[in-house]
């Protein structure tokens, strides 16, 4: 199992930047993949970015070119640098870890951090 704690959310004007952090309770080098999802009011949770153990990266279409995911194995932390923020980026952002547990790939989630982008 792993516990995930997000930080770095807040209120920012359109065009601004924020950096989210996700600290894991265990070595992230042993985790299959870590990433960020978001959920806006009335919408389904969607993928923002994900980084695999071998540093393969995928981004959601709406954030490509603006957001960057990275990992620091020494700090057991994953980051999401968000630039050129838009009002439509407003959502609760959740950290996610995918690990094999009892032979099943299992999702673990943080508590979420609110990001609000004003126009």
């Amino acid at each position: 199992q792993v516990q995930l704690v997000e930080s770095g959310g807040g209120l920012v004007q359109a065009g601004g930047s924020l950096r989210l952090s996700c600290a894991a309770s265990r070595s992230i080098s042993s985790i299959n993949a870590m990433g960020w999802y978001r959920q806006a009011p009335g919408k389904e949770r969607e993928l923002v970015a994900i980084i695999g153990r071998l540093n393969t990266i995928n981004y959601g279409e709406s954030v490509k070119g603006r957001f960057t995911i990275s990992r620091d194995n020494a700090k057991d932390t994953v980051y999401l640098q968000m630039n050129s923020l838009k009002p439509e980026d407003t959502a609760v952002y959740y950290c996610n870890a995918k690990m094999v547990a009892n032979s099943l790939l299992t999702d673990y989630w943080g508590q979420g951090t609110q990001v609000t982008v004003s126009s």
Side-chain angles (χ1 to χ4, degrees):
Q1 288 190 352
V2 60
Q3 283 74 49
L4 305 170
V5 178
E6 302 103 331
S7 61
L11 174 63
V12 64
Q13 288 188 333
S17 298
L18 281 175
R19 189 177 80 154
L20 304 183
S21 300
C22 173
S25 63
R26 61 179 291 164
S27 171
I28 64 172
S29 60
S30 65
I31 296 175
N32 294 73
M34 293 192 68
W36 293 92
Y37 289 72
R38 67 186 183 187
Q39 188 166 18
K43 294 188 177 181
E44 293 187 353
R45 192 171 294 189
E46 65 174 356
L47 172 69
V48 176
I50 189 167
I51 182 167
R53 185 184 299 167
L54 300 180
N55 288 330
T56 54
I57 293 174
N58 284 293
Y59 293 101
E61 284 296 323
S62 62
V63 306
K64 284 182 179 178
R66 299 188 298 122
F67 291 11
T68 302
I69 189 171
S70 62
R71 60 193 294 164
D72 185 338
N73 287 353
K75 296 183 178 179
D76 295 324
T77 299
V78 173
Y79 302 98
L80 184 69
Q81 178 66 43
M82 305 185 293
N83 298 330
S84 302
L85 282 161
K86 305 175 181 180
E88 51 263 44
D89 294 317
T90 295
V92 178
Y93 284 69
Y94 295 93
C95 183
N96 170 265
K98 299 184 187 298
M99 293 178 55
V100 175
N102 297 322
S103 302
L104 295 175
L105 190 63
T106 302
D107 284 307
Y108 296 88
W109 298 94
Q111 80 286 355
T113 186
Q114 177 70 46
V115 171
T116 303
V117 184
S118 63
S119 57

